[in-house]
Amino acid sequence: MRVLVLSWPSVLDGAHVGASSIRLLARWLAEAGHDVALLSGGLFRHTVDLGEQLRPFGIVGAGRYRFGSRSMVTFKDGTVKAQMVCTAATPDTIEATDIRTFVSHGQRLIRDHRPQLTLYHGGERATLEVARLARNSSSKVVATAWEFGWESRTAFELAHLVVAGSKYLAN
């Protein structure tokens, strides 16, 4: 099965429960034999050296990537084909261009990868727009709830199914 995984916060951010969890889920799906593509934003909860975060993936010239540059970083995370857009350094600096860039790359992945299943977490505008485009292209859409804060109905309206990490989140 072809799977697309979406995360606005960086999946490399170990301090973000949702992003870390969806990254792990993507790896499990890939290890189970599915063709998994992952699109991640560059949002981290804490200030980090992006080059240091990318170096373990064997990215040549990892130090040249900067937050807010909107450049695309492509790497393999296990057998997952991962892409990260250097969208923003903090939640306060997100601009419309960051959202358009993420959605543009999401559109390309939907067109080229043709996912049968799309997984996402959170309710950020960019993530929801790519999930909507995937749903319109006949992909089954699964939302995930890994942490509190996404109780808003709009975060789950596009989903065919919602996966929750605990019975409390499920409620």
Side-chain angles (χ1 to χ4, degrees):
M1 178 183 305
R2 291 178 311 277
V3 181
L4 174 60
V5 178
L6 304 169
S7 177
W8 178 259
S10 175
V11 294
L12 303 180
D13 187 356
H16 196 289
V17 174
S20 298
S21 298
I22 204 150
R23 176 185 177 198
L24 182 60
L25 186 56
R27 290 184 67 144
W28 285 346
L29 287 167
E31 288 168 6
H34 300 286
D35 184 7
V36 181
L38 183 146
L39 178 61
S40 173
L43 185 73
F44 285 81
R45 285 206 167 152
H46 306 288
T47 304
V48 297
D49 179 341
L50 190 54
E52 287 301 314
Q53 295 292 319
L54 295 170
R55 234 177 235 77
F57 297 97
I59 297 169
V60 177
R64 74 177 181 265
Y65 293 105
R66 298 282 177 250
F67 292 114
S69 67
R70 300 179 184 103
S71 55
M72 172 67 76
V73 183
T74 302
F75 58 95
K76 292 285 261 181
D77 186 12
T79 56
V80 174
K81 293 173 258 177
Q83 298 179 357
M84 187 177 86
V85 181
C86 303
T87 48
T90 68
D92 302 337
T93 61
I94 297 169
E95 299 173 0
T97 305
D98 296 314
I99 293 167
R100 282 194 304 272
T101 302
F102 187 90
V103 171
S104 174
H105 288 296
Q107 284 176 312
R108 182 186 42 76
L109 277 171
I110 291 166
R111 184 191 67 233
D112 296 346
H113 190 62
R114 303 177 69 82
Q116 297 160 294
L117 177 68
T118 300
L119 296 164
Y120 74 92
H121 80 93
E124 295 88 357
R125 283 181 25 210
T127 305
L128 292 177
E129 178 59 17
V130 177
R132 184 190 65 77
L133 293 168
R135 184 179 172 119
N136 288 348
S137 70
S138 300
S139 179
K140 293 295 181 197
V141 176
V142 176
T144 60
W146 303 107
E147 58 188 347
F148 289 103
W150 296 111
E151 292 84 6
S152 166
R153 180 174 174 75
T154 58
F156 305 108
E157 286 177 335
L158 294 167
H160 292 101
L161 177 70
V162 177
V163 175
S166 74
K167 67 179 183 177
Y168 304 105
L169 286 171
N171 288 337

